[in-house]
């Protein structure tokens, strides 16, 4: 079945450092890919998405490119802030009808001033 | 804007007790779902519904029941709570057919079973 593998955390960075969180997937066909973020004490919210190969999703300075050749959707940000401290989830949705989203296990990011 | 509302936010149960976690959304979303979040396990789908009167099992349905009598509400029932059901539960919804794939999440319900 479909699955998502994320790099394990926690990840601790200093403010203004470069961030990469790796995500690879296994799925048939052409799934849609997502990054969700969960701030402390809150539910998840969509950060960015890409629906076809070579698409780049971007939001709040974060970017991720859908790479079908490497089945990857790595999350990057050039300069992290303390307010980016959160848990980040990679997810995919298969390309048939009501297929539920499949989430990775999440990566906790802590940014220190 | 209420969005997805979950109640209660916190609950402590004893083994064998029953309870219902409530979920309501005011966005006229047809798709609703329940996830549980456990350390090191990420989010796992319990049950989901693509519309009123229709429910289906997710990855970890055992020990949980759901029903969908209205578009707005999707309660999750624990008939006989077990310590293994200690978790944080999230309800999420979106437009029919998962649309853009953007799920809208509630703030979560933290359940402890002693």
């Amino acid at each position: 079945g479909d699955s998502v593998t994320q790099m394990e955390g926690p990840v601790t960075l200093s403010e203004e450092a470069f961030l990469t969180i790796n995500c690879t997937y296994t799925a048939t066909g052409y799934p849609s890919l997502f990054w969700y973020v969960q701030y402390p004490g809150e539910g998840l919210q969509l950060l960015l998405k890409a629906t076809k190969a070579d698409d780049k999703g971007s939001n709040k300075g974060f970017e991720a490119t859908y790479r079908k050749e490497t089945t990857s959707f790595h999350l990057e940000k050039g300069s992290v802030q303390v307010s980016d401290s959160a848990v980040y989830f990679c997810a995919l949705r298969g390309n048939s009808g009501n297929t539920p989203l499949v989430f990775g296990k999440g990566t906790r990011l802590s940014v220190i001033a | 804007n209420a969005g997805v509302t979950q109640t209660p936010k916190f609950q402590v149960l004893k083994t064998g007790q029953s309870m219902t976690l409530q979920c309501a959304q005011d966005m006229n979303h047809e798709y609703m779902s329940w996830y549980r979040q456990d350390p090191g396990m990420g989010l796992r789908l319990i049950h989901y519904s693509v519309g009123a009167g229709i429910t289906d099992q997710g990855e970890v349905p055992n020990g949980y029941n759901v029903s969908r009598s209205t578009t707005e509400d999707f309660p999750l029932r624990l008939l006989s709570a077990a310590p293994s059901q200690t978790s944080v539960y999230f309800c999420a919804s979106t437009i029919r057919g998962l649309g853009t794939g953007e799920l809208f999440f509630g703030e979560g319900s933290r359940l402890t079973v002693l």
Side-chain angles (χ1 to χ4, degrees):
Chain A
D2 297 346
S3 66
V4 173
T5 302
Q6 286 181 240
M7 63 183 288
E8 293 194 16
V11 174
T12 302
L13 295 173
S14 297
E15 212 166 18
E16 299 183 2
F18 184 85
L19 168 71
T20 299
I21 300 178
N22 290 339
C23 172
T24 57
Y25 68 89
T26 301
T28 56
Y30 296 86
S32 296
L33 302 173
F34 309 86
W35 277 100
Y36 278 79
V37 59
Q38 183 182 29
Y39 297 106
E42 299 183 7
L44 281 72
Q45 56 186 275
L46 181 66
L47 179 61
L48 54 84
K49 67 179 182 183
T51 57
K52 61 182 187 294
D54 299 324
D55 267 2
K56 177 185 285 187
S58 62
N59 186 25
K60 300 182 181 180
F62 291 89
E63 293 184 339
T65 301
Y66 188 162
R67 302 285 188 201
K68 183 148 181 74
E69 64 274 15
T70 55
T71 61
S72 64
F73 193 54
H74 305 321
L75 182 68
E76 297 181 335
K77 187 175 185 181
S79 176
V80 294
Q81 305 300 313
V82 172
S83 57
D84 293 327
S85 297
V87 181
Y88 293 82
F89 292 89
C90 187
L92 73 81
R93 179 172 72 88
N95 56 4
S96 60
N98 292 317
T99 308
L101 266 69
V102 175
F103 286 87
K105 293 184 178 181
T107 303
R108 181 176 298 278
L109 169 67
S110 295
V111 181
I112 54 177
Chain B
N1 291 336
V4 178
T5 302
Q6 291 183 233
T7 56
K9 287 188 173 12
F10 301 94
Q11 182 72 48
V12 178
L13 291 178
K14 295 181 179 178
T15 297
Q17 287 185 318
S18 63
M19 77 157 299
T20 299
L21 298 176
Q22 302 290 346
C23 175
Q25 53 87 13
D26 61 358
M27 298 174 282
N28 202 30
H29 286 168
E30 293 195 4
Y31 180 95
M32 297 185 74
S33 55
W34 278 101
Y35 288 85
R36 58 178 289 173
Q37 183 179 27
D38 302 292
M41 302 295 291
L43 271 78
R44 292 181 291 171
L45 182 65
I46 304 171
H47 285 284
Y48 65 100
S49 168
V50 299
I54 306 169
T55 63
D56 207 345
Q57 296 181 349
E59 180 185 356
V60 289
N62 292 341
Y64 307 94
N65 282 349
V66 292
S67 60
R68 184 92 180 274
S69 56
T70 68
T71 299
E72 294 78 19
D73 301 298
F74 191 45
L76 179 71
R77 298 184 184 86
L78 286 72
L79 297 180
S80 179
S84 61
Q85 294 178 304
T86 294
S87 187
V88 180
Y89 292 85
F90 287 98
C91 180
S93 72
T94 192
I95 63 176
R96 67 183 180 280
L98 281 181
T100 63
E102 179 175 3
L103 286 175
F104 294 82
F105 283 80
E107 294 185 344
S109 298
R110 183 177 293 274
L111 174 66
T112 301
V113 183
L114 302 176

